[in-house]
């Protein structure tokens, strides 16, 4: 097997894995693919192309082109007339995608760390990957490839040299995690917290707990759960599949815990981390107290995978953030925190806490949060109260529900006093125009909203 081939993924095994019918020359059945993609533009020689029917485009229409590019095989939900290469007939390409990825994962001796939670999945994944990479060759989820299509595609990216895969797993409904975990079959399950997101489908935090912990049903035998012990819901899961969970948090009752936490504003966090193997001091360069929890989770995973404390410390200190996730940009004399990938009440309050420790005039630029269910107005109002309580100097907000931020700020100021200028706009672009004329050198600016608000445009306007 060369480095490019995907172990055990011969055309014959792919057909068996997904319950499909191989149609093509029998002498090609033992051919092993070198990659599997759903985007025809990414097809290379000897790849498997999996056509997905989208809202606007049906991947089946690209089958002739992918054979021209050297695809070894394609899946198809329909019978193909005179195809230029072999294909595997399936009932559903999406179902087949997951089944093939699950088969491939089972064929590998790699350790898999699965990460879920209401808030902080991506930043925790990045921290864990930075730590684990001090000892092992790591493959990790790219961007937001954490759903029922993204996770299998991430698994297809695992190659012979990888020793640990760190997979982010995101859900918004019941049974989704069952399907994801069945594909990932994690050796280590990390849950960051049980917060207030996807309430539309999951109803309550207990519903969220139930949905997230479906992950345990497909954990590898002998695997371990690593959980945030300061979360009132997760602390109830002290035994998982007959094995004690490993908790982390700020309390010394947990095996891995933090003391001497110092918030350095946009410069990050200083912390001492205690473990059963000893303690070490670390500087986390990413701002926000929630990153202490990310470092604790990474420490617990590192210990589970046999890293030394020195390796863990180095990994924590080298960890970086990515665009849209508490990403600090110095531009035009201002400090701009790009945290606009997504938002919910818990992550909003954490981001406002980061902003409250910043130097200069503090400006929160906030948009609507989505998928919060029937209490959405009240939850936006609570974030507005937090803006005032954290003594942020100015709030710019846009969106229909964002007027609740304004109301929350004004109610706190009326009762407790203080100063906070508030500007609300129905539309984002109108807000950008006013914001640009308001900001000045020395300002510290937080930009955060749910994905549908498209707030990267705000970041772009401020930093160009």
């Amino acid at each position: 097997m060369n480095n490019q081939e995907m172990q055990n993924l011969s055309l014959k095994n792919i057909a068996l894995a997904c319950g499909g019918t191989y149609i093509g020359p029998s002498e090609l059945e033992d051919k092993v693919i070198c990659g599997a993609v759903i985007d025809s533009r990414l097809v290379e020689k000897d790849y498997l192309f999996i056509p997905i029917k989208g809202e606007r485009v049906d991947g089946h229409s690209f089958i002739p082109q992918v054979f021209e590019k050297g695809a070894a095989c394609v899946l198809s939900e329909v019978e193909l007339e005179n195809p230029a290469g072999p294909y595997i007939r399936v009932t559903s390409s999406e179902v087949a995608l997951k089944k093939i990825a699950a088969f491939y994962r089972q064929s590998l001796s790699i350790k898999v760390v699965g990460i879920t939670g209401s808030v902080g999945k991506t930043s925790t994944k990045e921290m864990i990957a930075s730590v684990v990479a001090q000892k092992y060759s790591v493959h990790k989820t790219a961007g937001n490839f954490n759903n029922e299509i993204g996770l299998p595609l991430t698994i297809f990216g695992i190659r012979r040299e990888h020793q640990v895969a760190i997979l982010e797993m995101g859900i918004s409904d019941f049974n989704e995690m069952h399907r994801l975990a069945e594909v990932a079959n994690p050796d280590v399950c990390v849950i960051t917290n049980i917060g207030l997101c996807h309430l539309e489908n999951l109803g309550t935090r207990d519903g969220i707990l139930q949905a997230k912990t479906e992950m345990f049903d497909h954990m590898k035998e002998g695997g371990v759960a690593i959980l945030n012990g300061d979360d009132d819901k997760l602390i109830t899961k002290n035994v998982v599949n007959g094995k004690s969970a490993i908790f982390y948090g700020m309390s010394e009752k947990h095996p891995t815990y933090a003391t001497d936490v110092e918030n350095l504003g946009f410069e990050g966090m200083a912390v001492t981390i205690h473990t059963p193997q000893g303690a070490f001091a670390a500087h986390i360069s990413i701002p926000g107290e929630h990153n202490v929890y990310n470092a604790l989770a990474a420490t617990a995973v590192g210990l589970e995978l046999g890293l030394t404390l020195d390796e863990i410390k180095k990994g924590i200190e080298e960890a970086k953030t990515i665009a849209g996730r508490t990403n600090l940009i110095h531009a035009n004399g201002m400090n701009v925190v790009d945290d606009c990938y997504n938002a919910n009440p818990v992550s909003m309050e954490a981001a406002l806490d980061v902003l409250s420790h910043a130097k200069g005039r503090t400006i929160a630029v906030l948009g609507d949060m989505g998928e919060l269910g029937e209490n959405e107005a009240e939850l936006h109002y609570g974030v507005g109260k937090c803006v005032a309580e954290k003594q942020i100097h100015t709030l710019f907000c846009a969106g229909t529900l964002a007027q609740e931020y304004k109301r929350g700020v004004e109610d706190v100021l009326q009762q407790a006093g203080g100063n906070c200028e508030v500007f609300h706009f129905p539309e984002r672009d109108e807000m950008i125009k006013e914001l640009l004329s308001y900001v000045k050198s020395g300002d510290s600016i937080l930009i955060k909203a749910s994905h549908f608000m498209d707030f990267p445009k705000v970041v772009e306007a401020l930093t160009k």
Side-chain angles (χ1 to χ4, degrees), residues 7-286:
Q7 188 173 308
N8 288 332
L9 282 191
S10 64
L11 304 190
K12 182 196 294 181
N13 283 346
I14 291 168
L16 285 169
C18 67
T21 304
Y22 173 79
I23 299 165
S26 57
E27 63 269 19
L28 291 180
E29 278 192 283
D30 290 326
K31 186 173 185 62
V32 178
I33 63 165
C34 294
V37 294
I38 62 167
D39 186 337
S40 61
R41 294 167 297 185
L42 301 178
V43 169
E44 295 180 27
K45 185 173 174 3
D46 291 337
Y47 270 40
L48 172 70
F49 175 61
I50 302 172
I52 303 289
K53 285 181 180 172
E55 286 177 23
R56 294 190 297 271
V57 179
D58 181 352
H60 288 77
S61 62
F62 297 106
I63 286 173
Q65 288 105 298
V66 302
F67 278 128
E68 282 175 20
K69 292 178 79 172
C73 184
V74 302
L75 300 190
S76 179
E77 295 175 8
V78 295
E79 191 175 328
L80 299 179
E81 284 186 32
N82 303 317
Y87 74 100
I88 295 167
R89 180 75 189 272
V90 296
T91 307
S92 162
S93 290
E94 282 197 39
V95 171
L97 171 75
K98 284 179 278 204
K99 287 184 172 178
I100 298 163
F103 172 83
Y104 183 52
R105 186 270 178 268
Q106 291 299 336
S107 74
L108 304 169
S109 57
I110 194 167
K111 287 277 189 189
V112 171
V113 179
I115 303 166
T116 193
S118 297
V119 184
K121 291 184 291 294
T122 301
S123 54
T124 304
K125 172 204 72 185
E126 292 297 320
M127 185 76 78
I128 291 173
S130 181
V131 166
V132 175
Q134 303 301 319
K135 183 179 173 70
Y136 299 106
S137 172
V138 167
H139 178 67
K140 65 180 180 179
T141 302
N144 62 335
F145 272 50
N146 63 7
N147 60 17
E148 291 189 60
I149 289 178
L151 178 77
L153 292 174
T154 300
I155 288 172
F156 288 144
I158 298 171
R159 289 295 181 269
R160 191 178 186 177
E161 69 269 17
H162 295 130
Q163 297 164 295
V164 178
I166 298 170
L167 306 178
E168 184 180 326
M169 300 161 75
I171 61 159
S172 58
D173 213 340
F174 294 108
N175 293 318
E176 264 184 279
M177 185 59 78
H178 269 301
R179 297 190 291 271
L180 290 176
E182 191 172 10
V183 175
N185 190 209
D187 299 271
V188 179
C189 291
V190 178
I191 306 185
T192 61
N193 46 51
I194 303 298
L196 297 166
C197 57
H198 306 303
L199 291 173
E200 270 181 336
N201 297 327
L202 301 175
T204 63
R205 286 183 69 225
D206 285 322
I208 294 167
L209 177 70
Q210 181 188 328
K212 299 286 186 188
T213 55
E214 289 171 4
M215 191 188 209
F216 301 152
D217 296 343
H218 296 284
M219 184 162 65
K220 219 168 185 61
E221 194 174 343
V224 65
I226 293 176
L227 311 175
N228 180 347
D230 291 349
D231 186 285
D232 60 321
K233 299 296 182 185
L234 289 173
I235 196 67
T236 64
K237 299 291 180 181
N238 54 328
V239 176
V240 175
N241 299 358
K243 194 168 177 178
S244 294
I246 295 171
F247 289 110
Y248 62 88
M250 297 295 179
S251 166
E252 56 186 73
K253 68 183 179 189
H254 304 314
T256 301
Y257 67 96
T259 61
D260 310 315
V261 176
E262 186 183 354
N263 195 322
L264 306 172
F266 283 2
E267 301 308 312
M269 305 293 300
V271 64
T272 300
I273 293 177
H274 302 260
T275 80
Q277 293 182 22
F280 61 91
H283 172 249
I284 303 165
S285 63
I286 313 163

